[in-house]
Amino acid sequence: MNKLHQLKSMTTVVADTGDFEAIVDYQPQDATTNPSLIYKAAQMQQYRGLVEDALQFGQERGGSDASAQTRWTMDKLAVNFGSEILKIVPGRVSTEIDARLSFDTQATQQRAEALVGLYEEAGIDPRSRVLFKIASTWEGIRAAEALERQGIHCNLTLLFGFPQAVAAAEAGVTLISPFVGRILDWYKDAENVAGYPAGEDPGVLSVTQIFNYYKRHGYDTVVMGASFRNLDEILELAGCDYLTISPALLGELASAEGDVPRKLDAQQALTMDIPKVTFDESSFRWDMNEDAMATEKLAEGIRLFSADTRKLEQFAHEVRQSY
């Protein structure tokens, strides 16, 4: 078997893309999207109909309010792409909540509830087939906690620090997405090195710590490694609950031969001496402040996702103007 098939035997593989054709090629269980991926996919001619449908919906639902038109257009566009992806994958799709709401608990919750309504209008049961991606701020975690109590499941994204992982698990969040490659990027720059051996990769070590902590203390929250830079990072996390992987790296895995040993093992984690910790708001904020990498990458990630959302809004405006 190639390495992709072997990896699938111990880890749920998720496609990190908005391109449906790429999803079909590698037959993942789930798929994730974000504003960056949808922006790229929306510019492809084969998906123009999804954009035009969202624009028409936004005009109808938003009425004469330009800002409301834009918001409904963006939400409908996310749901259109998510709905099409769900025709391909047997599991769930992750749909991003506007990153500009990352520090507003109530607005994040309300936006997720609006997306639930749009998925239901599209004939999809969002409680069984959709994860709503929310940035792992304190406010985002609180919003996810409230949504989970309604049976609306969440994917806590832009997760870089251990306090974020602990707080998310204690909030009963369905899934977290630690960003392996972005952690690596920060340490390479900070320590002025070209790279690390796979077993010493800071992003790999972070996910390993979180995985073992969750399994040792019986949390149900799923750990999904994300944002990979190379195959070694992926293979070093074989056995993780989920891994979300770009089409390019899925292709490399599919064409690579050789054994894929399990690196993360829930049963082994049960025997580890790992103290349990907890965070209230003040200790969460303090520990995040003490972790320069986590603080900087979370802020940067929110800015980048926000910028891509604005790009997507501008693209939709240009399409509308071309009618």
Side-chain angles (χ1 to χ4, degrees):
M1 289 192 294
N2 63 43
K3 290 188 176 183
L4 179 57
H5 280 114
Q6 291 181 70
L7 183 64
K8 285 182 176 181
S9 72
M10 64 188 90
T11 291
T12 297
V13 171
V14 178
D16 193 13
T17 181
D19 183 353
F20 313 142
E21 294 170 10
I23 295 171
V24 171
D25 288 342
Y26 300 109
Q27 300 180 319
Q29 173 69 23
D30 291 0
T32 60
T33 64
N34 62 42
S36 311
L37 298 173
I38 292 180
Y39 175 68
K40 291 175 185 175
Q43 296 176 82
M44 299 179 186
Q45 188 60 39
Q46 62 265 42
Y47 305 139
R48 185 64 172 256
L50 299 181
V51 177
E52 293 176 350
D53 176 76
L55 285 166
Q56 181 177 351
F57 180 89
Q59 289 178 322
E60 294 171 355
R61 190 65 63 96
S64 59
D65 185 331
S67 63
Q69 282 187 22
T70 298
R71 181 174 68 81
W72 283 114
T73 296
M74 291 300 100
D75 283 359
K76 181 61 171 172
L77 187 59
V79 169
N80 281 355
F81 271 88
S83 298
E84 291 299 313
I85 288 169
L86 288 173
K87 295 176 183 177
I88 302 167
V89 300
R92 298 183 290 198
V93 67
S94 287
T95 294
E96 191 100 15
I97 304 298
D98 191 332
R100 293 170 294 187
L101 305 178
S102 294
F103 301 101
D104 189 329
T105 296
Q106 183 177 10
T108 296
Q109 184 177 343
Q110 290 172 342
R111 185 63 63 86
E113 290 167 347
L115 286 164
V116 165
L118 292 182
Y119 269 113
E120 289 174 340
E121 288 177 26
I124 290 167
D125 176 11
R127 287 172 169 79
S128 65
R129 302 217 63 197
V130 183
L131 294 174
F132 294 94
K133 292 177 74 176
I134 298 170
S136 300
T137 58
W138 180 259
E139 294 82 1
I141 294 168
R142 299 280 70 81
E145 182 177 38
L147 291 165
E148 292 280 358
R149 286 198 294 265
Q150 300 179 51
I152 299 170
H153 301 299
C154 300
N155 170 351
L156 266 290
T157 188
L158 295 176
L159 194 146
F160 302 98
F162 189 63
Q164 294 170 291
V166 173
E170 292 190 332
V173 168
T174 297
L175 181 148
I176 63 167
S177 298
F179 275 33
V180 180
R182 295 195 194 188
I183 294 173
L184 171 64
D185 295 342
W186 190 92
Y187 277 98
K188 284 170 63 177
D189 289 342
E191 299 183 357
N192 194 27
V193 298
Y196 300 83
E200 299 173 18
D201 182 303
V204 169
L205 294 177
S206 177
V207 175
T208 299
Q209 178 193 22
I210 293 167
F211 177 89
N212 288 333
Y213 181 84
Y214 277 15
K215 304 314 174 189
R216 173 63 182 84
H217 295 292
Y219 290 110
D220 292 329
T221 300
V222 171
V223 181
M224 181 172 73
S227 177
F228 293 104
R229 297 292 180 257
N230 54 64
L231 285 194
D232 287 341
E233 287 182 322
I234 295 168
L235 297 175
E236 201 64 30
L237 292 174
C240 190
D241 299 326
Y242 285 33
L243 297 174
T244 182
I245 305 170
S246 70
L249 290 172
L250 286 171
E252 289 186 38
L253 285 166
S255 62
E257 300 294 331
D259 291 336
V260 177
R262 178 184 290 274
K263 295 300 182 78
L264 300 187
D265 190 316
Q267 292 303 311
Q268 287 184 8
L270 290 172
T271 68
M272 296 178 180
D273 182 15
I274 306 175
K276 190 171 185 179
V277 296
T278 192
F279 293 92
D280 59 13
E281 182 176 356
S282 61
S283 60
F284 174 91
R285 295 192 187 281
W286 176 254
D287 276 39
M288 286 292 289
N289 182 73
E290 289 291 278
D291 186 339
M293 178 277 296
T295 297
E296 292 171 19
K297 295 309 286 186
L298 173 61
E300 177 190 65
I302 291 171
R303 287 195 299 270
L304 290 173
F305 279 170
S306 297
D308 282 330
T309 298
R310 288 191 290 271
K311 287 180 187 177
L312 189 57
E313 289 174 345
Q314 180 60 32
F315 173 72
H317 175 73
E318 292 169 359
V319 173
R320 181 186 294 118
Q321 294 298 107
S322 70
Y323 280 179

